[in-house]
Amino acid sequence: LAFPSTQQSIPSQTAMAAATLLHRVAPRTPRAARVLSTAASPALKKFSIYRWNPDTNERPRMQDYEIDLNECGPMVLDALIKIKNEEDPTLTFRRSCREGICGSCSMNINGTNTLACLCKISDVKETTKIYPLPHMYVLKDLVPDMSHFYEQHKSVKPFLVVEEGADTSKELYQSKEDRAKLDGLYECVLCACCTTSCPSYWWNADKYLGPAVLLQSYRWLADSRDASKEERLKFLDDAFKVYRCHTIMNCSKTCPKHLNPGKAIAQIKLEMSAKH
């Protein structure tokens, strides 16, 4: 019978003693060091933000901030909140839903009017420049005065006007086809990105209603349940409220909700021309 060699199967006492000594003496890598060695290197991103405080005599300026994108969400609004919470609590801006529904965080980011909550942070190597909406009075930092815009919206009666004597205790029905005509209109969140990108509005903001308000106006003109179509068209029928639109189409290009205010204005013009 053949048996395996003792030298191959059983380690010598000297080898076992050496292995035990090596195990006791060898330095161990601390757990914290092992964790840190796997952490991502900082991805520092610079944001240049418009600053102006009406309570001081200082002129408007651009202020730079630098944050680590590894510790920040993917959207520009995430970066603004991080800056306000961790670096500069005086930074002022509007925000609410963070889902592109409320329209509060509208601003000009890298030359384009958009919602900060829907705008992804650009490449880390590029400086992101953030301004308030253009051609509007600024209350502070990134907060524009929307009072005139809201007054214009109020002027088009943005609510359903029913026939006199209609039973308002029950739902007013409309066909699926009529309901489909409202798609692309009711989704507007009144962020004013389109209106403040329109050169015609820059020149005639006191008389021209602007893309957002006209889209809202057409939303009710297109509603089959509304009984005030003639009055609505009569209100719009002058040289400025609608016809200052020169189809530049900045409005449709910049809308963060991908709506088409230019098309809505064209539909209003068609209905007004058919009336004459």
Side-chain angles (χ1 to χ4, degrees), residues 18-275:
T20 304
L21 181 62
L22 180 63
H23 178 73
R24 292 177 179 175
V25 188
R28 294 186 178 182
T29 305
R31 179 177 295 274
R34 291 200 299 271
V35 172
L36 291 174
S37 65
T38 60
S41 58
L44 298 179
K45 165 81 173 178
K46 182 183 289 186
F47 291 84
S48 184
I49 302 176
Y50 179 95
R51 302 300 308 273
W52 180 68
N53 187 348
D55 297 328
T56 66
N57 293 324
E58 296 181 6
R59 295 173 60 87
R61 70 188 192 281
M62 300 299 290
Q63 185 168 345
D64 292 343
Y65 301 92
E66 203 170 57
I67 64 173
D68 185 359
L69 296 186
N70 294 327
E71 302 174 355
C72 179
M75 302 300 181
V76 171
L77 182 60
D78 294 317
L80 290 173
I81 293 174
K82 183 176 178 62
I83 292 170
K84 184 174 180 67
N85 288 345
E86 300 178 9
E87 295 189 30
D88 188 351
T90 67
L91 179 63
T92 306
F93 54 91
R94 289 191 180 107
R95 58 102 175 176
S96 183
C97 73
R98 301 181 69 169
E99 297 291 341
I101 300 299
C102 70
S104 299
C105 62
S106 54
M107 55 191 70
N108 184 281
I109 301 172
N110 285 337
T112 300
N113 293 351
T114 187
L115 295 175
C117 63
L118 297 183
C119 181
K120 292 193 69 175
I121 297 174
S122 60
D123 187 80
V124 68
K125 298 178 182 178
E126 302 173 359
T127 299
T128 296
K129 297 181 179 180
I130 306 176
Y131 300 85
L133 290 176
H135 296 271
M136 298 188 82
Y137 292 107
V138 176
L139 298 179
K140 186 179 180 182
D141 293 344
L142 301 176
V143 179
D145 185 355
M146 304 282 280
S147 302
H148 180 60
F149 176 76
Y150 291 143
E151 285 298 320
Q152 289 180 314
H153 181 237
K154 180 181 177 181
S155 72
V156 300
K157 296 182 179 180
F159 48 82
L160 190 68
V161 179
V162 299
E163 294 182 0
E164 187 175 351
D167 185 3
T168 57
S169 63
K170 63 180 182 180
E171 183 179 355
L172 297 176
Y173 294 106
Q174 65 181 163
S175 67
K176 291 182 179 180
E177 292 75 19
D178 286 337
R179 167 60 186 81
K181 295 177 182 178
L182 305 182
D183 289 340
L185 302 173
Y186 75 90
E187 298 96 331
C188 174
V189 295
L190 291 172
C191 63
C193 285
C194 63
T195 295
T196 54
S197 72
C198 176
S200 295
Y201 190 80
W202 302 344
W203 304 326
N204 301 285
D206 57 332
K207 300 177 182 179
Y208 174 49
L209 292 179
V213 171
L214 289 175
L215 181 139
Q216 287 285 318
S217 178
Y218 184 66
R219 179 257 176 273
W220 299 105
L221 284 170
D223 197 320
S224 61
R225 301 164 297 176
D226 190 81
S228 186
K229 187 170 185 176
E230 292 299 319
E231 290 78 2
R232 294 181 189 278
L233 289 174
K234 184 177 180 180
F235 170 75
L236 296 174
D237 193 5
D238 68 20
F240 281 91
K241 288 188 178 77
V242 177
Y243 287 108
R244 287 303 92 186
C245 170
H246 299 302
T247 59
I248 299 170
M249 301 304 287
N250 279 4
C251 55
S252 300
K253 182 179 179 180
T254 197
C255 177
K257 301 289 287 184
H258 307 292
L259 307 181
N260 193 345
K263 181 180 179 181
I265 296 172
Q267 291 295 333
I268 293 176
K269 290 178 179 179
L270 287 173
E271 295 203 12
M272 291 175 68
S273 64
K275 179 186 172 185

